[in-house]
Amino acid sequence: MQSDAFTLYKLIILFLLDKVDFPLTNAQLSNFILEKDYTNYFNIQQSIAELIEAEFLTVETIGHSSHYRITDSGRETLSFFGYMISNAIQSDILDYLKKNKYSLRDEVSSLSEYYEAKKGEFMVRLRVVEKEESIIDLNIAVPTKEDAIKICDNWRTQSQQIYAYVLSNLLKEDL
């Protein structure tokens, strides 16, 4: 019985990832499943680990987040066993994605991370990614870890405005 439950958790994860054209973070996957009370956090993590091991998911670590994508093998498996996901659960997933698709995409498209470059200096990398391509990629040196953290936090909410500002100013004609 327990293996049937884990099969269902894995299929839910594959179904979620199959319905979006961008990666989802561990937090995004977990939040949906936990919000619906399908299972607990530990079962989700075990399911994700087994999906990665079976090569049904790929994972990319960016900053402090893991970003997951479904593989072709994962899609093939879902096509064979997707019938095991009830219509009610499929409907829950589709409704959730319909309501949250843009906020989920924004969360994973504005990426920020920092690291200590040398003693007393930090590098901050800020990116906006669309369809796996960076449309802006900035590296900024800052003097403190606190500054780096603040810049990363602000990037999540202001990246679109900053991108628009940079682009409009670089495209200006000299008058």
Coordinates of all heavy atoms in Angstrom, one line a residue, residues 3-93:
S3 N 3.9 1.7 -1.2 CA 4.5 1.9 -2.5 C 3.5 2.6 -3.5 O 3.9 3.4 -4.3 CB 5.1 0.7 -3.1 OG 4.1 -0.2 -3.5
D4 N 2.2 2.2 -3.4 CA 1.2 2.9 -4.2 C 1.1 4.3 -3.9 O 0.9 5.2 -4.8 CB -0.2 2.2 -4.0 CG -0.3 0.8 -4.6 OD1 0.6 0.5 -5.4 OD2 -1.2 0.1 -4.3
A5 N 1.2 4.7 -2.6 CA 1.1 6.1 -2.2 C 2.3 6.8 -2.8 O 2.2 7.9 -3.3 CB 1.1 6.2 -0.7
F6 N 3.5 6.3 -2.7 CA 4.7 6.9 -3.2 C 4.6 7.0 -4.7 O 5.1 8.0 -5.3 CB 6.0 6.2 -2.7 CG 6.5 6.7 -1.4 CD1 6.2 6.0 -0.3 CD2 7.2 7.9 -1.3 CE1 6.7 6.4 1.0 CE2 7.6 8.3 -0.1 CZ 7.4 7.6 1.1
T7 N 4.1 6.1 -5.3 CA 3.9 6.2 -6.8 C 3.0 7.3 -7.1 O 3.3 8.1 -8.0 CB 3.3 4.8 -7.3 OG1 4.2 3.8 -7.1 CG2 3.0 4.9 -8.8
L8 N 1.9 7.5 -6.4 CA 1.0 8.6 -6.6 C 1.7 10.0 -6.4 O 1.6 10.9 -7.2 CB -0.2 8.6 -5.7 CG -1.2 9.7 -5.8 CD1 -1.7 9.8 -7.3 CD2 -2.3 9.6 -4.8
Y9 N 2.5 10.1 -5.3 CA 3.3 11.3 -5.0 C 4.2 11.7 -6.2 O 4.3 12.8 -6.6 CB 4.1 11.3 -3.7 CG 3.3 10.8 -2.5 CD1 3.9 10.1 -1.5 CD2 2.0 11.1 -2.4 CE1 3.3 9.6 -0.4 CE2 1.3 10.6 -1.2 CZ 1.9 9.9 -0.3 OH 1.2 9.5 0.9
K10 N 4.9 10.7 -6.7 CA 5.8 10.9 -7.8 C 5.0 11.3 -9.0 O 5.5 12.2 -9.8 CB 6.6 9.6 -8.1 CG 7.6 9.2 -7.0 CD 8.2 7.9 -7.3 CE 8.9 7.3 -6.1 NZ 9.4 6.0 -6.3
L11 N 3.9 10.7 -9.3 CA 3.1 11.0 -10.5 C 2.6 12.5 -10.4 O 2.5 13.2 -11.3 CB 2.0 10.0 -10.7 CG 2.4 8.7 -11.2 CD1 1.3 7.7 -11.1 CD2 3.0 8.7 -12.6
I12 N 2.2 12.9 -9.1 CA 1.7 14.2 -8.9 C 2.8 15.2 -9.3 O 2.6 16.2 -10.0 CB 1.2 14.4 -7.5 CG1 -0.1 13.7 -7.3 CG2 1.1 15.9 -7.1 CD1 -0.6 13.6 -5.8
I13 N 4.0 14.9 -8.8 CA 5.2 15.8 -9.1 C 5.5 15.9 -10.6 O 5.6 17.0 -11.2 CB 6.4 15.3 -8.3 CG1 6.2 15.5 -6.8 CG2 7.7 16.0 -8.8 CD1 7.2 14.8 -5.9
L14 N 5.4 14.7 -11.3 CA 5.7 14.7 -12.7 C 4.6 15.5 -13.4 O 4.8 16.2 -14.4 CB 5.7 13.2 -13.2 CG 6.9 12.4 -12.8 CD1 6.8 11.0 -13.2 CD2 8.2 13.0 -13.3
F15 N 3.3 15.3 -13.0 CA 2.2 16.0 -13.6 C 2.3 17.5 -13.5 O 2.1 18.2 -14.5 CB 0.9 15.5 -13.0 CG -0.3 15.9 -13.7 CD1 -0.8 15.2 -14.8 CD2 -1.1 17.0 -13.3 CE1 -2.0 15.6 -15.5 CE2 -2.2 17.5 -14.0 CZ -2.7 16.8 -15.1
L16 N 2.7 17.9 -12.3 CA 2.9 19.4 -12.1 C 4.0 19.9 -13.0 O 3.8 20.9 -13.7 CB 3.4 19.6 -10.6 CG 2.3 19.9 -9.6 CD1 2.9 19.7 -8.2 CD2 1.8 21.3 -9.7
L17 N 5.1 19.2 -13.1 CA 6.2 19.7 -13.9 C 5.9 19.6 -15.4 O 6.4 20.4 -16.2 CB 7.5 19.0 -13.6 CG 8.1 19.3 -12.2 CD1 9.1 18.3 -11.8 CD2 8.6 20.7 -12.2
D18 N 5.1 18.7 -15.8 CA 4.7 18.5 -17.2 C 3.8 19.6 -17.7 O 3.8 19.9 -18.9 CB 4.0 17.1 -17.4 CG 3.7 16.8 -18.8 OD1 4.7 16.9 -19.6 OD2 2.6 16.6 -19.2
K19 N 3.1 20.2 -16.8 CA 2.1 21.2 -17.1 C 2.6 22.7 -17.2 O 1.9 23.6 -17.5 CB 0.9 21.2 -16.2 CG 0.1 19.9 -16.2 CD -0.4 19.6 -17.6 CE -1.1 18.3 -17.7 NZ -1.4 17.9 -19.1
V20 N 3.9 22.8 -16.9 CA 4.5 24.2 -16.9 C 5.7 24.1 -17.9 O 6.3 23.0 -18.1 CB 5.0 24.7 -15.6 CG1 3.8 24.9 -14.7 CG2 6.0 23.7 -14.9
D21 N 6.1 25.2 -18.5 CA 7.2 25.3 -19.4 C 8.4 26.0 -18.8 O 9.2 26.6 -19.4 CB 6.8 26.0 -20.7 CG 6.3 27.4 -20.5 OD1 6.2 27.8 -19.3 OD2 6.1 28.1 -21.5
F22 N 8.5 25.9 -17.4 CA 9.6 26.5 -16.7 C 9.8 25.5 -15.5 O 9.0 24.7 -15.1 CB 9.3 27.9 -16.2 CG 8.0 28.0 -15.5 CD1 7.9 27.9 -14.1 CD2 6.8 28.3 -16.2 CE1 6.7 28.0 -13.5 CE2 5.6 28.5 -15.6 CZ 5.5 28.3 -14.2
P23 N 11.0 25.6 -14.9 CA 11.3 24.7 -13.7 C 10.5 25.2 -12.5 O 10.0 26.4 -12.4 CB 12.8 24.9 -13.5 CG 13.1 26.3 -14.0 CD 12.1 26.5 -15.2
L24 N 10.2 24.3 -11.6 CA 9.6 24.6 -10.3 C 10.7 24.3 -9.2 O 11.5 23.4 -9.3 CB 8.4 23.8 -10.1 CG 7.2 24.1 -11.0 CD1 6.0 23.1 -10.7 CD2 6.7 25.5 -10.8
T25 N 10.6 25.1 -8.2 CA 11.5 24.9 -7.1 C 11.0 23.8 -6.1 O 9.8 23.5 -6.2 CB 11.8 26.2 -6.3 OG1 10.5 26.5 -5.6 CG2 12.3 27.3 -7.1
N26 N 11.9 23.3 -5.3 CA 11.5 22.4 -4.3 C 10.4 23.0 -3.4 O 9.4 22.3 -3.1 CB 12.7 22.0 -3.4 CG 12.4 20.9 -2.5 OD1 11.5 20.9 -1.7 ND2 13.2 19.8 -2.7
A27 N 10.5 24.2 -3.1 CA 9.5 24.9 -2.2 C 8.2 25.0 -2.9 O 7.1 24.7 -2.3 CB 10.0 26.3 -1.8
Q28 N 8.2 25.3 -4.2 CA 6.9 25.4 -5.0 C 6.2 24.0 -5.1 O 5.0 23.9 -4.9 CB 7.2 25.9 -6.4 CG 7.6 27.4 -6.4 CD 8.0 27.9 -7.8 OE1 8.7 27.1 -8.5 NE2 7.7 29.1 -8.1
L29 N 7.0 23.0 -5.4 CA 6.4 21.6 -5.4 C 5.8 21.2 -4.1 O 4.7 20.8 -3.9 CB 7.4 20.6 -5.9 CG 7.9 20.7 -7.3 CD1 9.1 19.8 -7.5 CD2 6.8 20.3 -8.3
S30 N 6.7 21.4 -3.0 CA 6.3 21.0 -1.7 C 5.0 21.8 -1.2 O 4.1 21.3 -0.6 CB 7.4 21.2 -0.7 OG 8.5 20.4 -1.1
N31 N 5.0 23.1 -1.5 CA 3.9 24.0 -1.0 C 2.6 23.5 -1.5 O 1.6 23.4 -0.8 CB 4.1 25.4 -1.3 CG 5.2 26.1 -0.5 OD1 5.6 25.5 0.5 ND2 5.7 27.2 -1.0
F32 N 2.5 23.2 -2.8 CA 1.3 22.7 -3.4 C 0.8 21.4 -2.7 O -0.3 21.3 -2.3 CB 1.4 22.5 -4.9 CG 0.2 21.8 -5.5 CD1 -1.0 22.4 -5.7 CD2 0.3 20.4 -5.8 CE1 -2.1 21.8 -6.1 CE2 -0.8 19.7 -6.2 CZ -2.0 20.4 -6.4
I33 N 1.7 20.4 -2.7 CA 1.4 19.1 -2.1 C 1.0 19.2 -0.6 O 0.0 18.6 -0.2 CB 2.5 18.1 -2.4 CG1 2.7 17.9 -3.9 CG2 2.2 16.8 -1.7 CD1 3.9 17.2 -4.3
L34 N 1.7 20.0 0.1 CA 1.4 20.2 1.5 C 0.1 21.0 1.7 O -0.7 20.6 2.6 CB 2.6 20.9 2.3 CG 3.9 20.1 2.4 CD1 5.0 21.0 2.9 CD2 3.7 18.9 3.2
E35 N -0.1 22.0 0.9 CA -1.3 22.8 1.0 C -2.6 21.9 0.8 O -3.6 22.1 1.4 CB -1.3 23.9 -0.1 CG -2.3 24.9 0.0 CD -2.0 26.0 -1.1 OE1 -1.1 26.8 -0.9 OE2 -2.8 26.0 -2.1
K36 N -2.5 20.9 -0.1 CA -3.6 20.0 -0.4 C -3.6 18.8 0.6 O -4.5 18.0 0.5 CB -3.5 19.5 -1.8 CG -3.7 20.6 -2.8 CD -5.0 21.2 -2.8 CE -5.2 22.2 -3.8 NZ -6.6 22.9 -3.8
D37 N -2.7 18.8 1.5 CA -2.6 17.6 2.5 C -2.5 16.3 1.8 O -3.1 15.3 2.3 CB -3.8 17.7 3.4 CG -3.6 18.7 4.5 OD1 -2.5 19.0 4.9 OD2 -4.7 19.2 5.0
Y38 N -1.8 16.2 0.7 CA -1.7 14.9 0.0 C -0.7 14.0 0.8 O -0.9 12.8 0.8 CB -1.2 15.1 -1.4 CG -2.2 15.7 -2.3 CD1 -1.8 16.6 -3.3 CD2 -3.6 15.5 -2.2 CE1 -2.7 17.2 -4.2 CE2 -4.5 16.1 -3.1 CZ -4.1 16.9 -4.0 OH -5.0 17.5 -4.9
T39 N 0.3 14.6 1.4 CA 1.3 13.9 2.2 C 2.1 14.8 3.0 O 1.9 16.0 3.0 CB 2.2 13.0 1.3 OG1 3.0 12.1 2.1 CG2 3.1 13.8 0.4
N40 N 3.2 14.3 3.6 CA 4.1 15.2 4.4 C 5.3 15.5 3.7 O 5.6 15.0 2.6 CB 4.4 14.5 5.8 CG 5.2 13.2 5.6 OD1 6.1 13.2 4.9 ND2 4.7 12.2 6.3
Y41 N 6.1 16.5 4.3 CA 7.3 17.0 3.6 C 8.3 15.9 3.3 O 8.9 15.9 2.3 CB 7.9 18.1 4.5 CG 9.2 18.7 4.0 CD1 9.1 19.6 3.0 CD2 10.4 18.2 4.5 CE1 10.3 20.2 2.5 CE2 11.6 18.8 4.0 CZ 11.5 19.7 3.0 OH 12.7 20.3 2.5
F42 N 8.5 15.0 4.3 CA 9.5 13.9 4.1 C 9.2 13.0 3.0 O 10.1 12.6 2.2 CB 9.7 13.2 5.4 CG 10.1 14.1 6.5 CD1 9.2 14.5 7.5 CD2 11.4 14.6 6.6 CE1 9.6 15.4 8.5 CE2 11.8 15.5 7.6 CZ 10.9 15.9 8.6
N43 N 7.9 12.7 2.8 CA 7.5 11.8 1.6 C 7.8 12.5 0.3 O 8.1 11.9 -0.7 CB 6.1 11.4 1.8 CG 5.9 10.4 2.9 OD1 6.8 9.8 3.4 ND2 4.6 10.3 3.3
I44 N 7.5 13.9 0.3 CA 7.8 14.6 -0.9 C 9.2 14.6 -1.3 O 9.6 14.3 -2.4 CB 7.3 16.1 -0.7 CG1 5.8 16.2 -0.5 CG2 7.7 16.9 -1.9 CD1 5.3 17.5 0.0
Q45 N 10.1 14.8 -0.3 CA 11.5 14.8 -0.5 C 12.0 13.5 -1.0 O 12.9 13.4 -1.9 CB 12.3 15.3 0.7 CG 11.9 16.7 1.1 CD 11.9 17.7 0.0 OE1 12.9 17.9 -0.7 NE2 10.8 18.4 -0.2
Q46 N 11.5 12.4 -0.4 CA 11.9 11.1 -0.8 C 11.5 10.8 -2.3 O 12.2 10.3 -3.1 CB 11.3 10.0 0.1 CG 11.7 8.6 -0.3 CD 11.2 7.5 0.7 OE1 10.8 7.8 1.8 NE2 11.1 6.3 0.2
S47 N 10.3 11.2 -2.6 CA 9.7 11.1 -3.9 C 10.6 11.8 -4.9 O 10.9 11.3 -6.0 CB 8.3 11.5 -4.0 OG 7.5 10.8 -3.2
I48 N 10.9 13.1 -4.6 CA 11.8 13.9 -5.5 C 13.1 13.2 -5.7 O 13.6 13.1 -6.8 CB 11.9 15.3 -5.0 CG1 10.6 16.1 -5.1 CG2 13.0 16.1 -5.7 CD1 10.6 17.4 -4.4
A49 N 13.7 12.7 -4.6 CA 15.1 12.1 -4.7 C 15.0 10.8 -5.6 O 15.9 10.6 -6.4 CB 15.5 11.7 -3.3
E50 N 13.9 10.1 -5.5 CA 13.8 8.9 -6.3 C 13.5 9.2 -7.7 O 14.0 8.5 -8.6 CB 12.7 8.0 -5.7 CG 13.1 7.3 -4.4 CD 12.0 6.5 -3.7 OE1 10.9 6.2 -4.4 OE2 12.1 6.1 -2.6
L51 N 12.8 10.3 -8.0 CA 12.6 10.7 -9.4 C 13.9 11.2 -10.1 O 14.1 10.9 -11.2 CB 11.5 11.8 -9.4 CG 10.1 11.4 -9.2 CD1 9.2 12.6 -8.9 CD2 9.6 10.5 -10.4
I52 N 14.7 11.8 -9.3 CA 16.0 12.3 -9.8 C 16.9 11.1 -10.1 O 17.5 11.0 -11.1 CB 16.7 13.2 -8.8 CG1 15.9 14.6 -8.8 CG2 18.2 13.5 -9.2 CD1 16.3 15.5 -7.6
E53 N 16.9 10.1 -9.1 CA 17.7 8.9 -9.3 C 17.3 8.1 -10.5 O 18.1 7.6 -11.2 CB 17.6 8.1 -8.0 CG 18.5 6.9 -8.0 CD 18.4 6.1 -6.7 OE1 18.3 6.7 -5.7 OE2 18.5 4.8 -6.8
A54 N 16.0 8.1 -10.8 CA 15.5 7.3 -11.9 C 15.6 8.2 -13.2 O 15.2 7.7 -14.3 CB 14.0 7.0 -11.7
E55 N 16.1 9.4 -13.1 CA 16.3 10.3 -14.2 C 15.0 10.7 -14.9 O 14.9 10.9 -16.1 CB 17.3 9.7 -15.3 CG 18.7 9.5 -14.7 CD 19.7 9.0 -15.7 OE1 19.3 8.6 -16.8 OE2 20.9 8.9 -15.3
F56 N 14.0 10.9 -14.1 CA 12.7 11.4 -14.5 C 12.6 12.9 -14.3 O 11.8 13.6 -14.8 CB 11.5 10.7 -13.8 CG 11.4 9.2 -14.1 CD1 10.7 8.4 -13.3 CD2 11.9 8.7 -15.3 CE1 10.6 7.0 -13.5 CE2 11.8 7.3 -15.6 CZ 11.1 6.5 -14.7
L57 N 13.5 13.4 -13.4 CA 13.7 14.8 -13.2 C 15.1 15.2 -13.3 O 16.0 14.4 -13.0 CB 13.3 15.2 -11.8 CG 11.8 15.0 -11.3 CD1 11.7 15.5 -9.8 CD2 10.8 15.7 -12.2
T58 N 15.4 16.5 -13.7 CA 16.7 17.1 -13.6 C 16.6 18.1 -12.5 O 15.5 18.7 -12.3 CB 17.2 17.7 -14.9 OG1 16.3 18.7 -15.3 CG2 17.3 16.6 -16.0
V59 N 17.7 18.4 -11.9 CA 17.8 19.4 -10.9 C 18.9 20.3 -11.1 O 20.0 19.9 -11.5 CB 17.8 18.8 -9.4 CG1 19.1 18.0 -9.3 CG2 17.7 19.9 -8.4
E60 N 18.7 21.6 -11.0 CA 19.8 22.6 -11.1 C 19.7 23.5 -9.8 O 18.6 24.0 -9.4 CB 19.5 23.5 -12.3 CG 20.6 24.6 -12.4 CD 20.4 25.5 -13.6 OE1 19.3 25.5 -14.2 OE2 21.3 26.3 -13.9
T61 N 20.8 23.6 -9.1 CA 20.9 24.4 -7.9 C 21.3 25.8 -8.3 O 22.4 26.0 -8.9 CB 21.8 23.8 -6.8 OG1 21.3 22.4 -6.6 CG2 21.8 24.6 -5.6
I62 N 20.5 26.8 -7.9 CA 20.7 28.2 -8.2 C 20.6 28.9 -6.9 O 19.5 28.9 -6.3 CB 19.8 28.7 -9.3 CG1 19.9 27.9 -10.6 CG2 20.1 30.2 -9.5 CD1 18.9 28.3 -11.6
G63 N 21.7 29.5 -6.4 CA 21.7 30.1 -5.1 C 21.4 29.1 -4.1 O 22.2 28.1 -3.9
H64 N 20.3 29.2 -3.4 CA 20.0 28.3 -2.3 C 18.7 27.5 -2.7 O 18.1 26.9 -1.8 CB 19.8 29.0 -1.0 CG 21.0 29.8 -0.6 ND1 22.1 29.2 -0.1 CD2 21.2 31.1 -0.5 CE1 23.0 30.1 0.2 NE2 22.5 31.3 -0.1
S65 N 18.4 27.5 -4.0 CA 17.2 26.8 -4.4 C 17.5 25.7 -5.4 O 18.3 25.9 -6.3 CB 16.2 27.8 -5.1 OG 15.8 28.8 -4.2
S66 N 16.7 24.6 -5.3 CA 16.8 23.6 -6.3 C 15.7 23.8 -7.3 O 14.5 23.9 -6.9 CB 16.7 22.2 -5.7 OG 17.7 22.0 -4.8
H67 N 16.0 23.7 -8.6 CA 15.0 23.9 -9.7 C 14.9 22.6 -10.4 O 15.8 22.1 -11.0 CB 15.4 25.1 -10.6 CG 15.5 26.4 -9.9 ND1 14.8 27.5 -10.4 CD2 16.1 26.9 -8.8 CE1 15.0 28.5 -9.6 NE2 15.8 28.2 -8.7
Y68 N 13.6 22.1 -10.5 CA 13.4 20.8 -11.1 C 12.6 21.0 -12.5 O 11.8 21.8 -12.7 CB 12.5 20.0 -10.2 CG 13.2 19.7 -8.9 CD1 12.8 20.5 -7.8 CD2 14.1 18.7 -8.7 CE1 13.4 20.3 -6.6 CE2 14.7 18.5 -7.5 CZ 14.4 19.3 -6.4 OH 15.0 19.1 -5.2
R69 N 13.0 20.1 -13.4 CA 12.4 20.0 -14.7 C 12.1 18.5 -14.9 O 12.9 17.6 -14.6 CB 13.3 20.5 -15.8 CG 13.5 21.9 -15.9 CD 14.3 22.3 -17.1 NE 14.5 23.7 -17.1 CZ 13.7 24.7 -17.6 NH1 12.5 24.3 -18.0 NH2 14.0 25.9 -17.5
I70 N 11.0 18.2 -15.6 CA 10.7 16.8 -16.0 C 11.6 16.5 -17.3 O 11.8 17.3 -18.1 CB 9.2 16.7 -16.3 CG1 8.8 15.2 -16.5 CG2 8.8 17.5 -17.5 CD1 7.3 14.9 -16.6
T71 N 12.0 15.2 -17.3 CA 12.8 14.8 -18.5 C 11.9 14.1 -19.5 O 10.7 13.8 -19.2 CB 13.9 13.8 -18.0 OG1 13.3 12.6 -17.5 CG2 14.9 14.4 -17.0
D72 N 12.4 13.7 -20.6 CA 11.6 13.0 -21.6 C 11.2 11.6 -21.0 O 10.1 11.2 -21.2 CB 12.4 12.8 -22.9 CG 12.6 14.0 -23.7 OD1 11.8 15.0 -23.5 OD2 13.5 14.1 -24.5
S73 N 12.1 11.0 -20.2 CA 11.8 9.7 -19.6 C 10.6 9.9 -18.6 O 9.8 9.1 -18.4 CB 13.0 9.1 -18.9 OG 14.0 8.9 -19.8
G74 N 10.7 11.1 -17.9 CA 9.6 11.4 -16.9 C 8.3 11.5 -17.6 O 7.2 11.1 -17.2
R75 N 8.3 12.2 -18.8 CA 7.1 12.4 -19.6 C 6.5 11.1 -20.1 O 5.3 10.8 -20.1 CB 7.3 13.3 -20.8 CG 7.3 14.8 -20.4 CD 7.3 15.7 -21.6 NE 7.3 17.1 -21.2 CZ 8.4 17.7 -20.8 NH1 9.5 17.2 -20.9 NH2 8.3 19.0 -20.4
E76 N 7.4 10.2 -20.5 CA 7.0 8.9 -21.0 C 6.4 8.1 -19.9 O 5.3 7.5 -20.1 CB 8.2 8.2 -21.6 CG 7.9 6.9 -22.2 CD 9.1 6.2 -22.9 OE1 10.2 6.8 -22.9 OE2 8.9 5.0 -23.3
T77 N 7.0 8.1 -18.7 CA 6.4 7.4 -17.6 C 5.1 8.0 -17.2 O 4.1 7.2 -16.9 CB 7.4 7.5 -16.4 OG1 8.6 6.9 -16.7 CG2 6.8 6.8 -15.1
L78 N 4.9 9.3 -17.2 CA 3.6 9.9 -16.9 C 2.6 9.5 -17.9 O 1.4 9.2 -17.6 CB 3.8 11.4 -16.9 CG 2.6 12.2 -16.5 CD1 2.1 11.9 -15.1 CD2 2.9 13.7 -16.6
S79 N 3.0 9.4 -19.2 CA 2.0 8.9 -20.2 C 1.5 7.5 -20.0 O 0.4 7.2 -20.3 CB 2.6 9.1 -21.6 OG 3.5 8.1 -21.9
F80 N 2.3 6.7 -19.4 CA 1.9 5.3 -19.1 C 1.1 5.2 -17.8 O 0.2 4.4 -17.8 CB 3.1 4.4 -19.0 CG 3.9 4.1 -20.3 CD1 5.3 4.3 -20.3 CD2 3.2 3.8 -21.4 CE1 6.0 4.0 -21.5 CE2 3.9 3.6 -22.6 CZ 5.3 3.7 -22.7
F81 N 1.4 6.0 -16.8 CA 0.8 5.8 -15.5 C 0.0 7.0 -15.0 O -0.5 7.0 -13.9 CB 1.9 5.5 -14.5 CG 2.7 4.2 -14.8 CD1 3.9 4.3 -15.3 CD2 2.1 3.0 -14.6 CE1 4.6 3.1 -15.6 CE2 2.8 1.8 -14.9 CZ 4.0 1.9 -15.4
G82 N -0.1 8.0 -15.8 CA -0.9 9.2 -15.5 C -2.3 8.9 -15.1 O -2.9 9.7 -14.3
Y83 N -2.9 7.8 -15.6 CA -4.3 7.5 -15.3 C -4.4 7.2 -13.8 O -5.6 7.2 -13.2 CB -4.7 6.2 -16.1 CG -4.0 5.0 -15.7 CD1 -4.6 4.2 -14.6 CD2 -2.8 4.6 -16.2 CE1 -3.9 3.0 -14.2 CE2 -2.2 3.4 -15.8 CZ -2.8 2.6 -14.8 OH -2.1 1.5 -14.4
M84 N -3.3 6.9 -13.1 CA -3.4 6.7 -11.6 C -3.7 7.9 -10.8 O -4.0 7.8 -9.6 CB -2.1 6.0 -11.2 CG -1.9 4.6 -11.8 SD -0.3 3.9 -11.5 CE -0.5 3.5 -9.7
I85 N -3.5 9.1 -11.4 CA -3.9 10.3 -10.7 C -5.3 10.6 -10.9 O -5.8 10.7 -12.0 CB -3.1 11.5 -11.3 CG1 -1.6 11.2 -11.3 CG2 -3.4 12.8 -10.5 CD1 -0.7 12.3 -12.0
S86 N -6.1 10.7 -9.8 CA -7.5 10.9 -9.9 C -7.9 12.2 -10.6 O -7.1 13.1 -10.7 CB -8.2 10.9 -8.5 OG -7.8 12.1 -7.8
N87 N -9.1 12.2 -11.2 CA -9.5 13.4 -11.9 C -9.6 14.6 -10.9 O -9.3 15.7 -11.3 CB -10.9 13.2 -12.5 CG -10.8 12.3 -13.7 OD1 -9.8 12.1 -14.3 ND2 -12.0 11.6 -14.0
A88 N -9.9 14.3 -9.6 CA -10.0 15.4 -8.6 C -8.6 16.0 -8.4 O -8.4 17.2 -8.3 CB -10.5 14.9 -7.3
I89 N -7.6 15.2 -8.3 CA -6.2 15.7 -8.1 C -5.7 16.4 -9.3 O -5.1 17.5 -9.2 CB -5.2 14.5 -7.7 CG1 -5.6 14.0 -6.3 CG2 -3.8 15.0 -7.7 CD1 -4.8 12.8 -5.9
Q90 N -6.0 15.9 -10.5 CA -5.6 16.5 -11.7 C -6.3 17.9 -11.8 O -5.6 18.9 -12.2 CB -6.0 15.7 -13.0 CG -5.1 14.5 -13.2 CD -5.4 13.8 -14.5 OE1 -5.8 14.4 -15.4 NE2 -5.2 12.5 -14.4
S91 N -7.5 18.0 -11.4 CA -8.3 19.2 -11.4 C -7.7 20.2 -10.4 O -7.5 21.4 -10.7 CB -9.7 19.0 -11.1 OG -10.5 20.2 -11.1
D92 N -7.3 19.7 -9.3 CA -6.6 20.6 -8.2 C -5.3 21.2 -8.8 O -5.1 22.4 -8.6 CB -6.3 19.8 -7.0 CG -7.4 19.5 -6.1 OD1 -8.5 20.1 -6.3 OD2 -7.3 18.6 -5.2
I93 N -4.5 20.4 -9.5 CA -3.3 20.8 -10.0 C -3.5 21.9 -11.1 O -2.9 22.9 -11.1 CB -2.5 19.6 -10.6 CG1 -2.0 18.7 -9.4 CG2 -1.2 20.1 -11.4 CD1 -1.4 17.4 -9.9

